[in-house]
C-alpha cells in the first residue's frame, strides 16, 4: 500500500507565506519546498488519478509533474502589475481526451485554508457548443447536470462572458446562460479537511460529484 498523501500545517503555512518571499529565499528553502509541497503534490496526482480511473473513466490522464497535472508555483509576472513571484496555492488538473488544452478537465486548487474543485472545458468550437446546448436532446441533460451540481455544492458557473445570447438563438432561450459561454467551468470551494491524512480520497470524492457534467463534456465535445 502507498503512504497516505497529506499536506500538514507546516506545508500549508509554507504555501501561505510563499508569496511574501523572493527567489533568493525560495532557492535557499528549495529542499523544504520539495519535501513539504512538491513530492506530496506528485503523490496526490497519482492517487487521485487512480481513484478517478476506477470510479469515472479509465481514460483519465494524470501526469505527476509540473506542466503536466501540476501548474508551476511561480507566477508569470511579465504582463502583470502584481510582481509577486510565487502563488499561494497549488493547481492540479486531470483530463480526458487527446488534447490537454481543450479536453474536459477536473481541477483541484489547494490553498492553505481551503480547497477548490471544478469541472470544465475550453470550448473547441463555439458554433458546435451552441448547437449542442440549444438542442433539447443534448442541451437539457447538460443544464440539468450543471444545475444539480450548483444546488449540491453552491458552485459558480464561470465562462459566461457574452452579454447577449448569440444569434440566431432567442434571448429567452431556456439555456440562455450556457449559450453565452465562451468557456465553461463549474467550481466551488471547501474548507481544508480537519483530518488531512485522508486528503487524496477526500479530493477524489469531491471531484466525483462532477461526474455527470464531465461525462457529458467527454461524450459531446
Amino acid at each position: 500500500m502507498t503512504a497516505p498523501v497529506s499536506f500538514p500545517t507546516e506545508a500549508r503555512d509554507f504555501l501561505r507565506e510563499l508569496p511574501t518571499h523572493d527567489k533568493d529565499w525560495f532557492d535557499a528553502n528549495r529542499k523544504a519546498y520539495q519535501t513539504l509541497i512538491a513530492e506530496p503534490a506528485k503523490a496526490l496526482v497519482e492517487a487521485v488519478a487512480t481513484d478517478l480511473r476506477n470510479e469515472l473513466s479509465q481514460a483519465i490522464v494524470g501526469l505527476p509533474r509540473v506542466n503536466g497535472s501540476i501548474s508551476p508555483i511561480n507566477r508569470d509576472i511579465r504582463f502583470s502589475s502584481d510582481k509577486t513571484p510565487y502563488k499561494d496555492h497549488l493547481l492540479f488538473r486531470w483530463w480526458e481526451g487527446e488534447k490537454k488544452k481543450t479536453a474536459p478537465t477536473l481541477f483541484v486548487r489547494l490553498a492553505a485554508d481551503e480547497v477548490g474543485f471544478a469541472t470544465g472545458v475550453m470550448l473547441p468550437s463555439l458554433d458546435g457548443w451552441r448547437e449542442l446546448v440549444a438542442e433539447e436532446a443534448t442541451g437539457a441533460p447538460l443544464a440539468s447536470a450543471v444545475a444539480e451540481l450548483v444546488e449540491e455544492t453552491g458552485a459558480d458557473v464561470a465562462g459566461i462572458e457574452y452579454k447577449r445570447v448569440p444569434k440566431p438563438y432567442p434571448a429567452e432561450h431556456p439555456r440562455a446562460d450556457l449559450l453565452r459561454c465562451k468557456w465553461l467551468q463549474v467550481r466551488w470551494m471547501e474548507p481544508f479537511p480537519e483530518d488531512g491524512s485522508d486528503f487524496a480520497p477526500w479530493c477524489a470524492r469531491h471531484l466525483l460529484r462532477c461526474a455527470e457534467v464531465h461525462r457529458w463534456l467527454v461524450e459531446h465535445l
Side-chain angles (χ1 to χ4, degrees):
M1 294 180 64
T2 58
V5 180
S6 66
F7 290 88
T9 300
E10 187 179 4
R12 292 158 59 195
D13 287 344
F14 192 104
L15 272 181
R16 183 185 290 108
E17 297 170 7
L18 185 54
T20 68
H21 297 293
D22 59 16
K23 186 177 184 301
D24 288 342
W25 182 92
F26 186 82
D27 288 342
N29 289 272
R30 189 175 293 275
K31 184 175 181 180
Y33 174 77
Q34 290 294 325
T35 301
L36 294 171
I37 307 296
E39 294 306 320
K42 295 174 185 177
L44 180 68
V45 170
E46 293 184 311
V48 171
T50 296
D51 285 349
L52 294 177
R53 289 173 190 140
N54 289 337
E55 301 293 333
L56 181 58
S57 170
Q58 284 294 314
I60 292 289
V61 178
L63 302 179
R65 62 173 185 260
V66 174
N67 291 322
S69 289
I70 307 169
S71 294
I73 195 66
N74 56 295
R75 298 176 63 251
D76 185 350
I77 60 175
R78 291 174 298 171
F79 310 108
S80 174
S81 58
D82 180 359
K83 300 303 181 182
T84 305
Y86 300 104
K87 303 170 187 173
D88 64 354
H89 63 276
L90 295 171
L91 182 64
F92 302 89
R93 66 189 68 207
W94 297 261
W95 64 94
E96 186 171 357
E98 293 182 3
K99 296 181 179 180
K100 174 184 173 182
K101 186 175 180 179
T102 56
T105 301
L106 297 159
F107 299 89
V108 167
R109 183 186 188 277
L110 191 165
D113 299 311
E114 58 184 2
V115 184
F117 299 93
T119 180
V121 68
M122 297 299 295
L123 300 175
S125 166
L126 284 178
D127 289 340
W129 166 259
R130 291 165 183 168
E131 290 175 6
L132 287 164
V133 169
E135 182 66 34
E136 188 69 17
T138 49
L142 173 63
S144 177
V146 169
E148 288 180 12
L149 184 56
V150 168
E151 181 177 2
E152 181 181 340
T153 64
D156 296 321
V157 181
I160 305 172
E161 295 192 358
Y162 292 101
K163 293 182 178 180
R164 297 180 178 86
V165 175
K167 295 179 179 181
Y169 308 105
E172 65 275 11
H173 193 284
R175 292 175 291 281
D177 284 351
L178 291 176
L179 286 170
R180 293 192 293 116
C181 281
K182 192 172 184 179
W183 49 282
L184 177 70
Q185 192 175 92
V186 188
R187 59 195 185 190
W188 76 98
M189 305 297 293
E190 298 282 347
F192 203 97
E194 293 184 7
D195 182 7
S197 64
D198 199 31
F199 190 67
W202 180 82
C203 286
R205 288 194 298 272
H206 279 295
L207 289 176
L208 288 169
R209 302 166 86 176
C210 305
E212 290 307 311
V213 175
H214 178 81
R215 288 190 180 109
W216 188 98
L217 297 174
V218 170
E219 179 180 352
H220 293 93
L221 298 181

